[in-house]
Amino acid sequence: SLYDPAWVFLPLGLALGWILTSNNNEPAPRGLLLLGLLVIWAIRYNVENFWSGWIHGIDKEDWRYVDLAKKFGEGSVLYWIAGSLYGFHLVPTILVFAALSPAQTVWSLGQTTMTTPPLNWLDSIGVLTALLAILIQGIADRQLRLFREQQYKNVVSEKKRQQIDLNTISSSKSVLRDGLWAYSRHPNYFGEALFWVGIFLTAKAGQSKENHWYTGLYGCCQMLVFFRASCILMDQRNLKHREGYDEVMQEVSALVPWFLKKKQQSVDLKSK
C-alpha cells in the first residue's frame, strides 16, 4: 500500500511546513521536542517495518484492498471512490491531521515567550508517554517478526527480509502468545494510539490557560477509535486464518494490555 510510507512521512511534512511558515524564526523548545518525537517515531517505524516498495516497487497488494475489492467489485466506481479514496486514503489523512493539529500552534508561534508557557510537568508526561509508546511498538513488532521467522523456518538476513512477506509464505496457523502479545491481541496498535496521546499532552502543555483542557483532544480520541476498529478487522481475518483464535479473543484483551484469565505459552493451535 502506498499509504504505508505516507502514514509516517505525512506528519513530518506537516510539522516542517508549520515550522517553516512560522512568523517567528526561532522555534520553541517544545516545538523541537515534538519534532524530535516524530523523527524518532518515523525512524523506528522504517527500521522495523521497512517498506519494500522503495526497492522492488508495489509487487504485493494489501489484503484490505483485496477484501474490499471482493465486497464492492474489483475496478468498480464504488471501490475506487468509497473504498480506496475515501476509506483507505482520505480518512487516515484526516486522522493524522486531527491528531497532529494540537501541535500546530506550538510550531507556528515559535519562541514567543509572551504567549507560550515554558516547559512544565505536562511536557514531561507527554514526552515520556510518547517514548513509552514508541518502545511498545518496537518491542511488539520485533516479537512478532521473530515469532514469524521462527515459525516459518526462515533464516532471514536484513537484505532478504525486505523481499519476504511473512504474512503469506507459510500455512502455519500459530498464534503469538508470549511477550506483549500475551496481554494484548494488538499491542502494536496500542502503542500507535498511545503515541498520539503523548503528542497531544506535549502540545497541550504549550497552550494558554484560557483554553479548556479538552481542546484538541478529539484528534487522539479519533486515533483510539480508529485503531480499536482496526483490531476488529484483524480479529475477523485471524478468525478465518488462525485456528483457535476464538479462544485467544476470549482470553486476551483486544487493544489495551491487560491481565489474562489464564496465561498460555505460544502454541501451534493447529496441532491441538
Side-chain angles (χ1 to χ4, degrees), residues 7 11 38 41 95-101 129-130 133 191-201 219-221 223-224 227:
W7 178 268
L38 286 177
W41 170 73
L95 286 172
V96 170
F97 184 85
L100 200 60
S101 61
T129 299
E192 181 74 17
L194 186 64
F195 174 77
W196 295 106
V197 174
I199 292 295
F200 163 74
L201 292 175
C220 63
C221 287
M223 280 292 187
L224 288 169
F227 282 105

Side-chain angles (χ1 to χ4, degrees), residues 223-261:
M223 280 292 187
L224 288 169
V225 173
F226 173 74
F227 282 105
R228 184 60 184 89
S230 298
C231 290
I232 296 175
L233 292 177
M234 285 300 301
D235 285 341
Q236 291 174 347
R237 176 177 171 81
N238 287 336
L239 282 171
K240 296 178 181 178
H241 299 280
R242 299 285 186 265
E243 294 178 6
Y245 194 76
D246 54 340
E247 180 182 345
V248 177
M249 293 182 64
Q250 293 176 4
E251 296 178 1
V252 184
S253 170
L255 184 64
V256 180
W258 198 248
F259 298 103
L260 303 178
K261 295 180 180 179

Side-chain angles (χ1 to χ4, degrees), residues 1 7 39 61 69 96 135 138 145 155-156 211 218 251 256:
S1 170
W7 178 268
V39 170
E61 188 174 18
V96 170
L135 180 62
R145 177 176 59 81
V155 180
V156 184
N211 292 330
Y218 64 91
E251 296 178 1
V256 180

Side-chain angles (χ1 to χ4, degrees), residues 49-60 162-163:
N49 300 289
F50 183 81
W51 189 56
S52 61
W54 295 121
I55 298 176
H56 307 291
I58 305 177
D59 55 352
K60 292 184 290 290
Q162 299 169 8
Q163 305 175 17

Side-chain angles (χ1 to χ4, degrees), residues 27-46:
R30 182 175 291 107
L32 295 177
L33 271 178
L34 285 165
L35 181 61
L37 290 173
L38 286 177
V39 170
I40 295 172
W41 170 73
I43 292 175
R44 198 290 313 169
Y45 185 93
N46 282 283

Side-chain angles (χ1 to χ4, degrees), residues 89-230:
H89 295 87
L90 184 58
V91 168
T93 301
I94 294 174
L95 286 172
V96 170
F97 184 85
L100 200 60
S101 61
Q104 184 267 334
T105 53
V106 177
W107 286 315
S108 295
L109 288 176
Q111 183 63 14
T112 308
T113 56
M114 296 296 294
T115 58
T116 305
L119 295 176
N120 53 64
W121 61 271
L122 190 55
D123 288 289
S124 300
I125 295 177
V127 170
L128 289 175
T129 299
L131 291 176
L132 175 62
I134 295 172
L135 180 62
I136 290 173
Q137 285 182 287
I139 293 175
D141 284 345
R142 179 173 176 79
Q143 288 175 343
L144 182 60
R145 177 176 59 81
L146 293 176
F147 172 77
R148 285 172 172 170
E149 290 176 0
Q150 180 183 15
Q151 290 295 312
Y152 301 163
K153 308 299 182 183
N154 286 314
V155 180
V156 184
S157 65
E158 286 296 321
K159 182 178 180 180
K160 193 175 181 181
R161 174 154 47 109
Q162 299 169 8
Q163 305 175 17
I164 293 179
D165 183 0
L166 295 177
N167 288 303
T168 60
I169 62 175
S170 173
S171 59
S172 172
K173 302 298 183 182
S174 299
V175 179
L176 176 57
R177 300 293 300 271
D178 292 328
L180 294 177
W181 299 83
Y183 303 98
S184 170
R185 300 199 298 274
H186 309 283
N188 48 349
Y189 288 172
F190 171 73
E192 181 74 17
L194 186 64
F195 174 77
W196 295 106
V197 174
I199 292 295
F200 163 74
L201 292 175
T202 307
K204 185 63 181 177
Q207 295 181 2
S208 65
K209 296 181 179 179
E210 297 177 355
N211 292 330
H212 296 291
W213 66 268
Y214 51 81
T215 303
L217 185 61
Y218 64 91
C220 63
C221 287
Q222 287 178 337
M223 280 292 187
L224 288 169
V225 173
F226 173 74
F227 282 105
R228 184 60 184 89
S230 298

